[in-house]
């Protein structure tokens, strides 16, 4: 048996880093939304576990989060079944769009089905968190307010089809490093999550635009002034609002229409390492957790 699944990227409309915890992680509050932009995860039953990927710069061994998810399922359930996983990457790597987490989430949900493991919602969420802070969100299939390390998830209504351009600049980043370099006076709210959640509910891009904010933006802009210059260029080119997703370096520019988003992406394309136009959504070929309609 085989499954071909979509693994949607994650975008942080807001990201507030609230406090450093004793375990070294930070408590956050973030309005996260899934995008139509997605990787494809093909799963096929096989005697053993293996992985291949259309990008030669990604690991194909246990360092690949998708394969790590499959190993974790085997260890936790004792199943002797195997599978070959093939990844077709469209989400840029180390971009703040949770590509690895998205792949891992679809492997968890897909192998639970392919191997007939019958794991329920709570167990899948627990395994997801062991793989990474963004993986639980990537199993939901809809927007959510994420708190704690990212595992306390409050489901929000399905996202309106908001259009946006994604723009990634060629700057190095380390997520851990960006968090560690946050001085205490930077911690706290810079965004208005309730405004954004209300905007999502009312399908009102202007309200969403008013509430955007990301604690890590200042750190990344100080390190890489070209990011701030790009934000300004996108606003000058007519973006409704511009934010940064996760720890960057991908910026997103909200637009009124698909045509506007494509025009913005094309306009700044030569200054960026990657651009695309996409929208909020959840592709039909993506699995989501059982009982997540609530
Ligand atoms: P983070 O903020 O956690 O770094 P991100 O969204 O910025 O996440 P990802 O695309 O998930 O970035 O990749 C982060 C790292 O994970 C990369 O260094 C990459 O080598 C590694 N990685 C492991 N498996 C995958 C995968 N399936 N897809 C993408 N990256 C992967």
């Amino acid at each position: 048996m085989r499954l071909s699944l979509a693994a949607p990227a994650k975008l942080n409309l807001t990201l507030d880093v609230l406090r450093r915890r004793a375990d070294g992680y930070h408590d956050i509050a973030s309005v996260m939304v899934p995008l139509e932009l997605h990787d494809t995860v093909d799963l096929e039953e096989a005697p053993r576990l293996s992985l291949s990927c259309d990008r030669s710069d990604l690991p194909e061994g246990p360092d690949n989060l998708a394969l790590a998810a499959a190993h974790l399922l085997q260890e936790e359930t004792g199943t002797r079944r195997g599978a070959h996983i093939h990844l077709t990457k469209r989400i840029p790597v180390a971009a703040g769009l949770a590509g690895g987490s998205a792949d891992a989430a679809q492997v968890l949900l897909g192998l639970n089905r392919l191997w007939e493991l019958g794991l329920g919602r709570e167990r899948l969420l627990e395994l997801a968190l062991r793989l990474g802070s963004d993986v639980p969100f990537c199993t939901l299939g809809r927007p959510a307010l994420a708190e704690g390390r990212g595992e306390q998830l409050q489901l929000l209504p399905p996202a309106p089809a908001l259009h946006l351009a994604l723009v990634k600049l060629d700057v190095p980043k380390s997520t851990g490093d960006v968090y560690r370099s946050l001085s205490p006076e930077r911690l706290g709210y810079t965004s208005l999550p309730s405004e954004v959640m209300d905007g999502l509910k009312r399908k009102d891009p202007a309200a969403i635009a008013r509430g955007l904010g990301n604690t890590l933006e200042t750190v990344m802009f100080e390190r890489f002034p070209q990011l701030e210059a790009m934000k300004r260029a996108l606003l000058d080119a007519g973006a409704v609002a511009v934010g940064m997703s996760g720890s960057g370096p991908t910026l997103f520019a909200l637009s009124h229409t698909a045509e506007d988003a494509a025009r913005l992406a094309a306009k700044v394309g030569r200054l960026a390492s990657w651009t695309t136009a996409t929208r909020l959504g959840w592709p039909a070929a993506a699995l989501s957790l059982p009982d997540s309609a609530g």
Side-chain angles (χ1 to χ4, degrees), residues 10 39 51 57-59 63-66 87 89 91-101 103-104 134 173 175 247-248:
K10 161 228 72 167
D39 292 342
L51 178 138
D57 57 338
L58 279 184
D63 284 348
N64 195 299
L65 209 53
L87 302 180
K89 295 291 298 180
I91 306 170
V93 174
L97 296 172
S101 304
D103 298 345
D134 279 343
K173 74 130 190 190
T175 301
S247 55

Side-chain angles (χ1 to χ4, degrees), residues 243-260:
M244 186 180 85
S245 187
S247 55
T250 303
L251 301 178
F252 59 92
L254 297 183
S255 312
H256 288 296
T257 64
E259 293 71 30
D260 282 353

